Amino acid sequence: MPDFVTGDPIADTKAPAAPLENRWDERKFAAKLVNPANRRKHRVLVVGTGLAGGSAGATLAEQGYHVVQFCVQDSPRRAHSVAAQGGINAAKNYRNDGDSVYRLFHDTVKSGDFRSRESNVYRLAQVSAQIIDQAVAQGVPFAREYGGLLDTRSFGGVQVQRTFYARGQTGQQLLIGAYQALSRQVDAGNVELHPRTEMLDLVVVDGRARGIVARDLVTGEITTHLADAVVLATGGYGNVFYLSTNAKGSNATAIWRAHKRGAYFANPCFTQIHPTCIPRSGEHQSKLTLMSESLRNDGRIWVPKQPGDPRPPSDIPEDERDYYLERQYPSFGNLVPRDIASRAAKNVCDAGFGVGPGGLGVYLDFADAIARLGRPAIEARYGNLFDMYQRITAEDPYAVPMRIYPAIHYTMGGLWVDYDLQSTIPGLFVIGEANFSDHGANRLGASALMQGLADGYFVLPATLNDYLGGTRLGEVPADAVTPVETEARERIARLLAVRGTRSVDSFHRELGLLMWDHCGMSRTREGLRKALDRVPELRAEFWRDVRIPGRGDELNQELEKANRVADFLELAELLLVDALAREESCGGHFREEHQTPDGEARRDDENFAYVAAWEYGTPPVLHREQLTFEHVHPTQRSYT
Amino acid sequence: MNLTVRIWRQAGPATEGRLVSYPVAGLSPDMSFLELLDVLNQELIAAGEEPVAFDHDCREGICGSCGVVINGQAHGPERTTSCQLHLRSFADGDVIDVEPWRAKGFPVIKDLVVDRSALDRIVQAGGYVSAPTGSAPDAHATPIPKPDADLAFDNATCIGCGACVAACPNGSATLFTAAKVTHLSLLPQGQPERAQRVLDMVDAMDAEGFGGCTNTGECVASCPKGIPFASISALNREFRKASRSGRR
């Protein structure tokens, strides 16, 4: 059987054929409205309460829709957006340093290695300024200057200071802003909240998304919730790699089950590896911890010039250090984009220059910055990150350089959506990291928060009106619901009935290692093949031999994990097929067969300037969406 | 290193719980406390027993999901979250007691997992600024003095883990509520609802069955994010002022 078959091309038909800067306005004007008095008659399900889901739920409820909101955590405030540290981009140009909507758009398309849609990215840059206004109005305590105005800092891949931040806890503060807005609507009775509840399946009736099947994680009760539209805001699937910076509960179940019901999955192989994580310390490791990218503003990255140099860093004189990013990329230096910084770290470690246990680490050194600015200034900027590093490693980063290494962080792939953020299933909208649309093959730092909030506060609330206003929806017949619910029950029962010998974690760890080795920072045809042989075997072993203690009608965390790992075992295969089919290197997807003589990624715009939108099937069906670049002309990305 | 953990096992809210002792060998001091529970759970599963249920998610000390009472102290001996507590804080051979948050406002669900949704209901009662999407003025339209913004931020760092409640002899949620009230009352955006907010949030706190505050200070000692004691005085000031104004 072939790895995949090719289907008809796919296209986004919702972005108006207007000049770039007018497209969003024109789309909003053309979109149908729903009379405020009629809005309360519409039920909308929102799955997930992170930046995208929380902001969407709050805004839709403010508009008058009846929102039913779900999250797997015990409180919406704990969604994984809470862990984003560094900041959020916005084209405010408060610094008067030459920033503009167009420049943010330009930087994002370029950083995404020309694999994102110009229309979507331009809109993202446009609404970015409004996001900051909205968050400030909610009381989000952004960092401020002594004059009382907002402070900004710079981030990787750009040469202006457009990143707004709240110490090292920007994600938490923005999420709490959205959570508070959502809480206000819960109190007003406009949002019905279901925490500790997991989506198991999507109910599709007459080709339209009409509800979800969900499991109460405390009682195990499986119920169906019906609505006029379903919004998935369930984040990324980086935990397919087991070790990642994602929260332990981050999973792909909602988007994967929707994919199996007909939603196309786009660019699954685009995974972002973050360059500044704390290296792993041993086999016991359950997850990896990210140090904010903002550290690269003042920290200098280096390795000893002598491979395996046994001396402590302070004993290595300046001329025996290789500040390899500053050497290779003089104009961006330590602030090159994430994919470049990550691969550079891997390359120096692979060449034997790495530091720390196993040689899998590079130094991130603040000695110069402390000498120049003084320790109090560094404490004010990064204090909590330094404390966190010290707590985890038991080393004092004020005295010795930090050690960092790249780790799986963010997934640019996700369910395919059009300009309206609607998937290939009408009535199913996908927002935030769960969709694929704005970041291309690599995400610019501080843009994930921006996209989540842009989608939730501003984009979806405008486009969902068009769907609800332009669609006549009948009652959902009971016989359409029963089979989906039965299937969900049977799957849970089947998992519990295996009663095998291996724990869920042992399968997950094996899958993760396989994916990291063969589909991680660099990929080869041979390695991908090897993984493609192993994943189906592992999946079969899982269903034959997994051991899940306990019952289904109670809080059963092993059952929750098993349910999700079963999906990762399927998604992993599509990820590998996608990586194999993309015979080029771009962004986070680096195929060793496709590189320039000096080891940089070599794109193939002639053959691969498309979004790979996969339809579920055996084998999967590839639908190509051709990307056109009218404004930012594809060139070899250069940061030298 | 080798440790013995005595863990609170409770099948459900209606069943009796008890401490069960488990020896765990071959641990690394670099492991987090939750990784110790991971290791134990893998052993329990292999032995055909039920693993210990505990809440956790980001494991970076920011989501506020995790939290257990370790040797009588919320989050254990260091001032951090349970996920950021490392085994190097213990000595080889130690016997460690692990229990769930205990408070009337936090009923046990299973083992170490408790129901903290009461904290959400306190926020729902008024812990927000009413700022519907799309109505915001330019962010620079309202400058905020840096000291105010910084102090607001210090209070906004609360992760809602509930350690303050678990540590309090009265099971009070005052520090949690104080952090939110103080954060918003320091900012110009929080002014119009200032009086109503504190009255409603304090009412909700009482209605959820949390105890009163007697200035014991255990909450502050156990708060992994260092929410200051002064926030409680600030809450009391806000409450008195709002009560006098008769605003309802």
Side-chain angles (χ1 to χ4, degrees):
Chain A
M1 194 175 69
D3 293 322
F4 66 91
V5 292
T6 303
D8 295 336
I10 187 172
D12 167 30
T13 56
K14 299 285 179 55
L20 191 61
E21 55 279 13
N22 297 340
R23 282 180 200 165
W24 181 226
D25 285 341
E26 290 208 7
R27 178 69 194 115
K28 278 191 290 186
F29 181 71
K32 291 191 179 62
L33 296 176
V34 178
N35 166 356
N38 287 337
R39 289 187 191 157
R40 72 180 84 94
K41 296 177 195 157
H42 288 289
R43 275 166 71 88
V44 179
L45 309 185
V46 181
V47 187
T49 58
L51 288 175
S55 58
T59 305
L60 293 171
E62 283 162 12
Q63 290 191 345
Y65 292 111
H66 184 75
V67 175
V68 189
Q69 191 121 15
F70 304 84
C71 66
V72 294
Q73 295 87 356
D74 69 329
S75 163
R77 67 174 290 149
R78 306 201 202 286
H80 189 52
S81 307
V82 84
Q85 298 165 338
I88 176 167
N89 287 335
K92 280 282 199 186
N93 195 30
Y94 281 163
R95 289 268 174 190
N96 193 28
D97 58 0
D99 200 11
S100 62
V101 167
Y102 198 86
R103 188 176 297 278
L104 175 50
F105 155 74
H106 183 279
D107 288 347
T108 306
V109 172
K110 176 186 169 198
S111 163
D113 226 349
F114 305 94
R115 293 294 173 264
S116 52
R117 269 191 209 139
E118 282 193 338
S119 304
N120 287 56
V121 177
Y122 192 86
R123 174 177 65 190
L124 178 65
Q126 259 177 317
V127 299
S128 66
Q130 262 181 294
I131 296 170
I132 302 302
D133 299 340
Q134 177 62 26
V136 166
Q138 290 169 342
V140 170
F142 283 117
R144 288 185 182 259
E145 307 272 13
Y146 281 97
L149 301 179
L150 293 157
D151 194 10
T152 53
R153 59 187 173 196
S154 48
F155 246 59
V158 294
Q159 290 169 311
V160 293
Q161 285 195 39
R162 66 161 74 100
T163 306
F164 294 78
Y165 66 102
R167 256 175 251 171
Q169 302 171 18
T170 316
Q172 184 204 17
Q173 294 308 322
L174 289 168
L175 181 68
I176 286 180
Y179 157 78
Q180 288 174 184
L182 186 68
S183 298
R184 174 171 164 245
Q185 295 302 319
V186 172
D187 190 47
N190 302 330
V191 172
E192 175 188 325
L193 190 63
H194 296 268
R196 289 198 198 267
T197 304
E198 179 150 63
M199 169 171 162
L200 296 181
D201 213 335
L202 182 73
V203 178
V204 181
V205 181
D206 296 333
R208 294 179 184 281
R210 293 302 304 273
I212 68 165
V213 174
R215 180 170 180 270
D216 181 316
L217 299 177
V218 176
T219 64
E221 195 188 357
I222 291 171
T223 47
T224 299
H225 302 261
L226 297 176
D228 301 327
V230 178
V231 181
L232 300 187
T234 52
Y237 49 87
N239 270 344
V240 70
F241 290 87
Y242 189 76
L243 281 184
S244 81
T245 63
N246 288 8
K248 295 294 285 177
S250 298
N251 67 86
T253 289
I255 56 172
W256 187 251
R257 307 278 172 90
H259 172 57
K260 291 174 87 169
R261 294 281 170 200
Y264 291 2
F265 205 120
N267 297 336
C269 79
F270 287 169
T271 310
Q272 180 167 70
I273 319 264
H274 198 292
T276 54
C277 295
I278 300 178
R280 53 186 291 205
S281 65
E283 288 303 312
H284 58 269
Q285 202 96 21
S286 61
K287 80 173 291 271
L288 296 170
T289 302
L290 177 74
M291 302 299 292
S292 167
E293 177 173 15
S294 62
L295 291 170
R296 290 198 277 144
N297 272 317
D298 288 307
R300 298 181 69 195
I301 294 174
W302 63 276
V303 290
K305 281 185 179 166
Q306 179 196 328
D309 194 328
R311 291 174 292 178
S314 53
D315 291 356
I316 301 178
E318 276 297 313
D319 60 349
E320 293 179 44
R321 301 174 175 192
D322 179 14
Y323 295 91
Y324 59 90
L325 288 177
E326 297 169 31
R327 172 170 58 78
Q328 291 168 15
Y329 307 97
S331 60
F332 280 70
N334 294 297
L335 284 174
V336 290
R338 292 176 174 182
D339 56 335
I340 308 276
S342 294
R343 210 156 41 245
K346 178 184 192 299
N347 290 342
V348 294
C349 291
D350 287 353
F353 297 95
V355 298
L360 293 178
V362 298
Y363 289 128
L364 176 61
D365 198 338
F366 285 85
D368 281 1
I370 292 172
R372 189 176 71 246
L373 304 165
R375 179 171 165 152
I378 296 297
E379 272 177 26
R381 279 183 203 174
Y382 312 110
N384 66 315
L385 299 167
F386 277 48
D387 293 348
M388 187 170 86
Y389 182 86
Q390 178 153 28
R391 179 154 293 287
I392 292 173
T393 63
E395 290 174 2
D396 177 7
Y398 292 103
V400 295
M402 292 182 179
R403 287 173 297 108
I404 54 165
Y405 196 68
I408 297 287
H409 182 52
Y410 186 93
T411 47
M412 281 77 67
L415 293 186
W416 187 90
V417 288
D418 61 19
Y419 190 66
D420 282 358
L421 305 180
Q422 186 165 221
S423 72
T424 48
I425 301 174
L428 178 70
F429 292 80
V430 190
I431 60 177
E433 191 181 353
N435 75 22
F436 88 103
S437 61
D438 294 4
H439 305 301
N442 176 52
R443 179 175 61 83
L444 205 56
S447 284
L449 307 185
M450 178 173 68
Q451 188 219 338
L453 291 177
D455 288 1
Y457 281 133
F458 298 108
V459 182
L460 175 83
T463 61
L464 187 69
N465 284 330
D466 185 63
Y467 175 75
L468 293 173
T471 312
R472 264 188 200 288
L473 294 164
E475 286 286 303
V476 175
D479 61 353
V481 171
T482 323
V484 191
E485 211 181 286
T486 308
E487 231 177 277
R489 282 178 206 286
E490 283 173 358
R491 178 184 159 106
I492 296 285
R494 211 159 75 240
L495 279 169
L496 287 165
V498 179
R499 301 278 168 213
T501 63
R502 273 183 74 178
S503 71
V504 178
D505 278 11
S506 79
F507 283 103
H508 197 176
R509 278 179 190 271
E510 187 178 338
L511 175 70
L513 192 61
L514 192 72
M515 295 301 284
W516 175 250
D517 284 347
H518 299 303
C519 200
M521 258 191 287
S522 71
R523 300 147 183 206
T524 64
R525 194 171 301 120
E526 197 192 353
L528 291 166
R529 271 272 152 245
K530 209 180 277 177
L532 265 176
D533 287 341
R534 180 62 189 142
V535 168
E537 288 172 11
L538 191 63
R539 195 164 57 228
E541 279 169 47
F542 174 88
W543 282 99
R544 198 169 56 236
D545 199 25
V546 72
R547 170 179 288 189
I548 305 162
R551 305 189 316 267
D553 60 350
E554 58 173 357
L555 180 81
N556 186 337
Q557 295 172 327
E558 287 299 304
L559 176 61
E560 290 169 29
K561 276 195 278 182
N563 205 13
R564 298 165 187 169
V565 170
D567 292 329
F568 282 138
L569 282 161
E570 295 181 10
L571 167 60
E573 192 170 332
L574 185 66
L575 209 155
L576 293 164
V577 168
D578 187 46
L580 196 59
R582 190 168 283 277
E583 288 277 1
E584 64 159 352
S585 292
C586 60
H589 168 69
F590 188 78
R591 281 284 298 268
E592 287 179 24
E593 298 92 341
H594 305 286
Q595 52 182 308
T596 61
D598 48 358
E600 300 290 346
R602 191 170 61 208
R603 273 196 338 265
D604 177 355
D605 292 327
E606 191 138 338
N607 296 303
F608 291 93
Y610 64 72
V611 173
W614 296 94
E615 179 185 352
Y616 184 74
T618 321
V621 185
L622 171 63
H623 300 270
R624 295 187 176 90
E625 178 196 337
Q626 198 60 41
L627 293 168
T628 50
F629 295 91
E630 296 161 30
H631 297 86
V632 191
H633 294 292
T635 48
Q636 168 80 27
R637 280 163 72 207
S638 169
Y639 296 93
T640 51
Chain B
M1 61 197 287
N2 302 321
L3 296 168
T4 299
V5 279
R6 301 199 309 159
I7 297 183
W8 186 262
R9 302 304 306 262
Q10 184 172 345
T15 46
E16 292 270 300
R18 65 197 176 94
L19 282 172
V20 181
S21 186
Y22 303 99
V24 197
L27 301 164
S28 153
D30 289 331
M31 294 166 89
S32 74
F33 196 81
L34 300 188
E35 284 166 348
L36 160 71
L37 296 180
D38 291 342
V39 170
L40 169 66
N41 277 347
Q42 291 301 304
E43 290 174 6
L44 291 174
I45 293 166
E49 289 177 49
E50 272 212 44
V52 178
F54 63 99
D55 267 328
H56 64 99
D57 202 14
C58 79
R59 296 202 176 193
E60 293 182 14
I62 193 75
C63 75
S65 296
C66 70
V68 284
V69 174
I70 300 168
N71 286 339
Q73 276 182 287
H75 291 302
E78 312 263 338
R79 192 159 164 171
T80 186
T81 53
S82 303
C83 66
Q84 294 295 298
L85 175 69
H86 289 78
L87 299 190
R88 64 179 83 95
S89 301
F90 299 92
D92 198 15
D94 274 0
V95 178
I96 305 168
D97 286 350
V98 190
E99 296 169 87
W101 283 167
R102 296 204 186 278
K104 193 176 164 209
F106 289 166
V108 172
I109 294 175
K110 184 178 182 179
D111 296 338
L112 304 173
V113 178
V114 301
D115 180 357
R116 286 172 289 194
S117 54
L119 297 184
D120 287 323
R121 290 188 290 274
I122 295 175
V123 173
Q124 286 156 15
Y128 46 76
V129 171
S130 296
T133 309
S135 59
D138 185 273
H140 267 182
T142 318
I144 302 174
K146 185 169 162 54
D148 290 0
D150 286 349
L151 191 56
F153 181 89
D154 288 342
N155 281 280
T157 56
C158 168
I159 56 174
C161 63
C164 48
V165 179
C168 176
N170 309 326
S172 169
T174 300
L175 189 66
F176 170 82
T177 309
K180 182 52 48 191
V181 165
T182 309
H183 160 206
L184 295 177
S185 67
L186 279 164
L187 299 172
Q189 293 83 357
Q191 296 311 307
E193 295 164 296
R194 185 172 175 176
Q196 196 61 53
R197 175 181 307 116
V198 65
L199 296 174
D200 288 347
M201 288 183 81
V202 169
D203 275 357
M205 186 174 83
D206 292 342
E208 292 292 344
F210 293 107
C213 173
T214 49
N215 283 337
T216 315
E218 285 293 331
C219 53
V220 173
S222 72
C223 175
K225 297 297 157 183
I227 303 294
F229 210 168
S231 301
I232 292 184
S233 329
L235 171 72
N236 289 333
R237 259 193 326 271
E238 291 290 320
F239 184 77
R240 277 196 304 273
K241 217 165 83 187
S243 304
R244 275 201 301 272
S245 79
R247 186 91 73 92
R248 269 287 156 182

